[in-house]
Amino acid sequence: MYAIIQTGGKQYKVSEGDILTVEKLDVEEGSKVTFDQVLAVNGTELTIGDPTVKGATVEATAVKNGRGKKVIVYKYKRKTGYHKKNGHRQSFTQVKIEKINA
C-alpha cells in the first residue's frame, strides 16, 4: 500500500516504514505528524482525490530536524568588476511513515 502526499509544495510517494526528508516542519523530534493532503491512495485499488482523498491521512513521526549541505550561489558579470558570493543551507525534517489511513 502506498500514498501520494503533498507537503512543503512538493509531492512524495510514501509507504509504511519509509524515512522521508521533507521541507522544515514546525515539530520537535519524536513527535507525531499528520499529513492530511493525500492526493492518491493505492490499497486494493487506486483512489485518486479531487484534489484530495476525503478522510485519508498519513501518520508519521519526526525523526530529525537539520540542515542540508551548503550550496554556493555565485553571481558574476564580466568586464564590470561585479561578483557576489553567497551560501545557503536548506532546513529539513526527516519523518518516518507509521500508518496510512484510507
Side-chain angles (χ1 to χ4, degrees):
M1 175 180 232
Y2 71 87
I4 298 175
I5 62 171
Q6 180 174 355
T7 179
K10 298 178 179 73
Q11 297 175 2
Y12 301 95
K13 179 181 175 183
V14 297
S15 301
E16 291 181 7
D18 285 353
I19 295 179
L20 189 67
T21 303
V22 297
E23 296 291 323
K24 175 94 171 121
L25 300 173
D26 192 25
V27 294
E28 295 181 10
E29 294 179 10
S31 62
K32 298 283 185 186
V33 180
T34 302
F35 298 107
D36 56 352
Q37 288 190 331
V38 180
L39 304 176
V41 176
N42 187 9
T44 56
E45 62 182 49
L46 180 64
T47 305
I48 298 175
D50 184 23
T52 60
V53 178
K54 301 266 190 257
T57 59
V58 174
E59 296 175 6
T61 304
V63 177
K64 176 182 170 185
N65 287 325
R67 298 176 71 194
K69 290 191 172 191
K70 182 177 277 192
V71 177
I72 302 298
V73 180
Y74 192 77
K75 297 181 180 181
Y76 175 80
K77 292 193 178 179
R78 63 186 187 140
K79 298 180 183 176
T80 61
Y82 172 80
H83 59 92
K84 184 181 280 191
K85 183 177 180 182
N86 198 355
H88 176 75
R89 291 180 68 188
Q90 185 68 33
S91 299
F92 68 85
T93 301
Q94 273 189 343
V95 294
K96 181 174 182 184
I97 305 300
E98 301 292 337
K99 189 173 182 184
I100 298 173
N101 301 319

